[in-house]
Amino acid sequence: MATVSLPTDASIILTYRCPMRCVMCNIWQNPTDKDREITAADLRSLPRLKFINLTGGEPFVREDLAEIVEECYRHTDRIVISTSGFFSDRVIELARRFSKIGIRISIEGLSEKNDELRGRRGGFDRGLATLLQLKDMGLKDIGFGCTVSNHNSTDMLSLYRLSRSLGMEFATAAFHNSFYFHKDDNVITNRDRVVNDFKQLIEWQLKEPHPKSWFRAWFNMGLINYIEGRKRMLPCEAGITNFFIEPYGDVYPCNGLELKYWKESMGNIRTTPFDELWSSNQAEHVRALVRSCPKNCWMVGTASPVMKKYITHPARWALANKLRTLCGLKPCLDMTRADVGQDSRQGDLRIPSEEERTGR
């Protein structure tokens, strides 16, 4: 078997325990056994990486989170934790210990809408207060994360403006179904409204002075492309550039897998050292399934690595549309799929046969 390049990005799902009751995610109904969740010791064989995202469930329910962060910093210089912000004191305590940590607090709208969608009263106020305290502490890599659904695309625009006024990051996602969310009925039905709000967000991002915002505009165009049911603008290379570790140690190429399409682990990091797991026949079999995967997911965990790898495609669009913005023109939302040699079956949005699904 040919030598496999090591990945650059990892997402580690530390737990499915969560205090939130989100309408777009049923993790909270499927909590993991805390005594069986992976520990810092299980991560010792990780390779050197550019980026690690620690997520859940709610990572801050983990009493050993600081130990996990400390271990992860042996493998990367950049860690971002995705959290509800519900455990404010724990977030602040960890940030005092690790001053370079990144924090993204999931907020789905302004106060009333956020609390409705996340199922906890006071969640918006607590999340915003946590971000403001982190800002006062001098943390730089902080901001909002918003999952856009049928219910909150207009609030997304308000959150974006709030994040800009505070000088914070703003990350977007859209309704998805997967084993990770324990959901199979997330569907955006008011597409026109949601797409138009994303178009407005793209226009605003292109008017910003920083190129990072222009690339985020291109990413958001990918979300429009996903919502409208088209194939990804760049291929999915999950299991090549990135991977996910599930709370009990199974390593998956991504967190968007669904049983109705396919779901196979590359191995378990508790029983197999990472370099051995990554170069195994099973891992290569899973990569083959990714190359012909019928899903057209567009999530930052799998989109960001390929945007960097094939940077000329988003860069040309970003520069051209920044110039259009400077000339007072609307951006050209050209969602052409970049041909970089990917399998034509990837993202065809059909359920494969058993033979196709297993590849055996």
Side-chain angles (χ1 to χ4, degrees):
M1 187 173 64
T3 303
V4 181
S5 298
L6 288 173
T8 60
D9 294 34
S11 291
I12 304 174
I13 308 167
L14 295 177
T15 182
Y16 287 147
R17 292 178 286 144
C18 187
M20 296 293 108
R21 301 294 182 260
C22 299
V23 300
M24 65 282 191
C25 175
N26 284 338
I27 279 178
W28 58 278
Q29 294 179 344
N30 298 271
T32 39
D33 179 351
K34 69 176 183 177
D35 295 327
R36 295 172 54 209
E37 293 168 346
I38 52 174
T39 65
D42 297 319
L43 305 175
R44 288 174 184 163
S45 70
L46 287 176
R48 187 67 189 172
L49 297 157
K50 293 181 179 178
F51 173 69
I52 293 177
N53 173 228
L54 298 177
T55 186
E58 173 51 66
F60 283 91
V61 303
R62 293 290 302 258
E63 296 174 359
D64 59 345
L65 181 58
E67 296 172 33
I68 291 171
V69 170
E70 189 170 18
E71 177 61 37
C72 286
Y73 268 127
R74 296 189 178 103
H75 304 275
T76 187
D77 293 327
R78 183 168 183 242
I79 298 171
V80 171
I81 302 180
S82 302
T83 174
S84 66
F86 190 79
F87 299 105
S88 302
D89 293 344
R90 299 180 194 180
V91 177
I92 300 305
E93 181 183 354
L94 190 81
R96 287 198 176 105
R97 180 169 174 180
F98 301 99
S99 60
K100 294 183 179 179
I101 199 79
I103 300 291
R104 295 293 180 276
I105 293 186
S106 298
I107 296 179
E108 313 307 341
L110 299 179
S111 184
E112 183 177 352
K113 179 58 67 175
N114 175 77
D115 293 357
E116 170 193 332
L117 294 180
R118 296 192 67 81
R120 287 287 187 184
R121 290 180 61 84
F124 175 86
D125 294 343
R126 189 176 299 195
L128 181 57
T130 303
L131 284 171
L132 292 173
Q133 188 168 350
L134 291 171
K135 182 179 173 67
D136 288 343
M137 290 168 58
L139 265 73
K140 305 298 183 184
D141 194 0
I142 58 174
F144 301 83
C146 180
T147 298
V148 180
S149 65
N150 291 341
H151 316 286
N152 65 341
S153 61
T154 301
D155 273 38
M156 168 191 71
L157 297 177
S158 298
L159 285 176
Y160 166 78
R161 288 182 289 182
L162 178 59
S163 71
R164 291 297 86 201
S165 68
L166 295 173
M168 296 181 182
E169 302 289 336
F170 185 72
T172 49
F175 250 4
H176 280 79
N177 295 308
S178 75
F179 82 95
Y180 168 60
F181 301 114
H182 300 275
K183 288 283 284 186
D184 60 8
D185 60 353
N186 282 335
V187 179
I188 292 177
T189 54
N190 57 340
R191 289 186 182 183
D192 290 345
R193 175 65 175 271
V194 173
V195 165
N196 284 334
D197 286 335
F198 268 116
K199 288 178 179 178
Q200 178 63 76
L201 177 61
I202 289 168
E203 287 188 32
W204 288 344
Q205 288 176 321
L206 285 168
K207 290 179 180 177
E208 292 184 31
H210 200 292
K212 186 176 182 180
S213 297
W214 315 341
F215 282 91
R216 283 178 174 158
W218 193 87
F219 172 81
N220 285 320
M221 192 169 67
L223 286 177
I224 293 175
N225 186 70
Y226 158 75
I227 291 166
E228 293 185 338
R230 292 191 287 268
K231 292 185 179 183
R232 291 169 58 114
M233 297 185 301
L234 286 174
C236 178
E237 294 190 354
I240 299 175
T241 55
N242 68 280
F243 62 93
F244 278 73
I245 302 178
E246 196 256 355
Y248 294 149
D250 279 320
V251 178
Y252 290 99
C254 73
N255 66 337
L257 302 179
E258 292 183 76
L259 283 174
K260 71 177 182 180
Y261 294 107
W262 67 278
K263 178 176 178 276
E264 287 199 40
S265 165
M266 303 173 87
N268 192 292
I269 199 168
R270 281 178 154 162
T271 58
T272 309
F274 186 85
D275 58 348
E276 183 180 332
L277 181 157
W278 192 251
S279 60
S280 67
N281 289 332
Q282 175 61 18
E284 185 52 40
H285 167 66
V286 169
R287 292 185 191 102
L289 293 175
V290 171
R291 286 191 286 271
S292 60
C293 180
K295 294 197 70 177
N296 70 332
C297 309
W298 190 255
M299 292 182 277
V300 69
T302 53
S304 178
V306 291
M307 284 176 64
K308 294 171 185 174
K309 181 176 179 178
Y310 303 107
I311 195 167
T312 56
H313 296 281
R316 282 198 300 263
W317 180 91
L319 291 172
N321 282 282
K322 179 60 179 179
L323 288 173
R324 289 180 63 88
T325 299
L326 291 172
C327 294
L329 302 173
K330 285 188 173 293
C332 176
L333 300 186
D334 180 6
M335 300 175 211
T336 303
R337 182 170 178 258
D339 184 358
V340 294
Q342 65 267 49
D343 192 309
S344 61
R345 294 172 295 174
Q346 192 181 75
D348 68 3
L349 298 177
R350 66 187 180 88
I351 298 177
S353 66
E354 180 67 16
E355 182 178 344
E356 291 172 314
R357 186 185 69 80
T358 61
R360 294 171 174 167

